């Protein structure tokens, strides 16, 4: 596709429900990131994939959060037993190459999924 | 560890006035620094980045930023604000594992 696509655009869940958020990165992009953006805050890193390998999940706030990218393209972020504090915009980003602290790749962001937990 | 601090959560300027959005960073190594813009209901868009080449970096839409090591700053400027510049702006530094670490954001309001 032309850009990073995320679905659904909006998700309302009752507390305790499980949710699954989908990210379709740009075709051929190796790196994929998930970020969480709470209202009025900057995005915070959740997890990073290089192809199908989850290389960094240090930002996942609890074991209720789980992400996968089984075939190295589409990724799903799953949140089990949602809590009100999970309400946020979840952003997905991808880049063509592998990332590293001295790499110069460009990151492309999706429009995000706004999750509201009631 | 790397971090960024954006000074001022809201900045209001008149159309045609100078835009100045402040960002200070903390990094134990020479940093890679970024400015992103987020329009309502859209994803983040890269405005410009500093990767240890020229200290004055020019970006899209007439924005530029100057890396000042002595002040640990990377402030974003634009000589003349347009109404279309109204958005949320984020400063970010690249962490040592490649992930971006964002500031809290600054909302820019442009008054006619």
């Amino acid at each position: 596709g032309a850009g990073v696509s995320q679905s659904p655009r909006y998700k309302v869940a009752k507390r305790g429900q499980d949710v699954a958020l989908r990210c379709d990165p740009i075709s051929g992009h190796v790196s994929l990131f998930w970020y969480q953006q709470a209202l009025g805050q900057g995005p915070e890193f959740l997890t990073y994939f290089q192809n199908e390998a989850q290389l960094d999940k240090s930002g996942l706030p609890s074991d209720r959060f789980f992400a996968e990218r089984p075939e190295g393209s589409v990724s799903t972020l799953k949140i089990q037993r949602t809590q009100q504090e999970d309400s946020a915009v979840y952003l997905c980003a991808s880049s063509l190459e592998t990332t590293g602290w001295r790499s110069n790749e460009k990151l492309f962001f999706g429009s995000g999924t706004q999750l509201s937990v009631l | 560890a790397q971090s960024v601090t954006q000074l001022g959560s809201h900045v209001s300027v008149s159309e045609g006035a100078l835009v100045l959005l402040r960002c200070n960073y903390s990094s134990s190594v020479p940093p890679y620094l970024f400015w992103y813009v987020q329009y309502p209901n859209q994803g983040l868009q890269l405005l410009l980045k500093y990767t240890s080449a020229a200290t004055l970096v020019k970006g899209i839409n007439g924005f530029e930023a100057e890396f000042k090591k002595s002040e640990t700053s990377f402030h974003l400027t634009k000589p003349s604000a347009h109404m279309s510049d109204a958005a949320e702006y984020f400063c970010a530094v690249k962490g040592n594992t490649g992930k971006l670490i964002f500031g809290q954001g600054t909302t820019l309001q442009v008054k006619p």
Side-chain angles (χ1 to χ4, degrees), chain A residues 9-10 33 35 37 40-45 48 56 58-59 89 91 99-112 114, chain B residues 2 29-32 34 36 38 40-46 49 51-52 88 90 94-105:
Chain A
R9 183 69 183 90
Y10 302 94
F33 295 81
Y35 283 83
Q37 186 177 15
Q41 304 293 316
E44 292 195 358
F45 170 81
Y48 164 63
D56 187 346
S58 61
V89 176
L91 297 170
T99 189
W101 76 294
R102 277 300 170 251
S103 66
N104 201 21
E105 84 292 349
K106 182 176 181 179
L107 208 56
F108 295 84
F109 281 84
S111 299
Q114 184 171 326
Chain B
Q2 290 85 10
V29 295
Y32 277 16
F34 304 79
Y36 280 84
Q38 186 176 37
N41 298 316
Q42 295 187 25
L44 283 84
Q45 180 182 1
L46 180 66
K49 62 181 178 182
T51 56
S52 74
E88 185 86 11
F90 294 96
K94 180 169 278 193
N96 55 9
T97 58
K99 60 195 177 192
L100 288 176
I101 300 163
F102 289 88
Q104 301 276 59

Side-chain angles (χ1 to χ4, degrees), chain B residues 24-93:
Chain B
N24 287 88
Y25 70 90
S26 173
S27 179
S28 55
V29 295
Y32 277 16
L33 294 161
F34 304 79
W35 275 100
Y36 280 84
V37 61
Q38 186 176 37
Y39 298 102
N41 298 316
Q42 295 187 25
L44 283 84
Q45 180 182 1
L46 180 66
L47 274 177
L48 49 81
K49 62 181 178 182
Y50 167 77
T51 56
S52 74
T55 56
L56 182 63
V57 182
K58 295 188 182 298
I60 62 171
N61 301 339
F63 284 93
E64 62 182 36
E66 186 172 8
F67 173 73
K68 291 188 177 180
K69 183 178 179 180
S70 61
E71 298 178 8
T72 62
S73 69
F74 190 57
H75 301 332
L76 181 71
T77 61
K78 181 173 181 178
S80 176
H82 294 164
M83 297 296 293
S84 59
D85 294 327
E88 185 86 11
Y89 291 81
F90 294 96
C91 181
V93 64

Side-chain angles (χ1 to χ4, degrees), chain A residues 59-108:
Chain A
L60 296 176
S62 76
D63 58 8
R64 296 186 295 104
F65 286 71
F66 171 76
E68 59 183 6
R69 193 186 185 198
E71 297 179 357
S73 54
V74 171
S75 178
T76 303
L77 177 66
K78 298 179 180 178
I79 309 173
Q80 296 177 326
R81 305 181 303 282
T82 52
Q83 304 294 316
Q84 284 189 324
E85 61 263 28
D86 299 334
S87 296
V89 176
Y90 291 84
L91 297 170
C92 177
S94 71
S95 68
L96 180 61
E97 299 174 354
T98 59
T99 189
W101 76 294
R102 277 300 170 251
S103 66
N104 201 21
E105 84 292 349
K106 182 176 181 179
L107 208 56
F108 295 84

Side-chain angles (χ1 to χ4, degrees), chain A residues 12-65:
Chain A
V12 178
K14 292 183 179 179
R15 189 162 54 92
Q17 278 186 332
D18 297 348
V19 298
L21 313 180
R22 177 186 171 104
C23 173
D24 282 84
I26 296 172
S27 178
H29 276 201
V30 168
S31 296
L32 186 145
F33 295 81
W34 283 99
Y35 283 83
Q36 180 190 58
Q37 186 177 15
L39 188 63
Q41 304 293 316
E44 292 195 358
F45 170 81
L46 292 177
T47 187
Y48 164 63
F49 289 86
Q50 182 177 312
N51 296 308
E52 69 278 5
Q54 189 175 20
L55 299 187
D56 187 346
K57 54 182 181 179
S58 61
L60 296 176
S62 76
D63 58 8
R64 296 186 295 104
F65 286 71

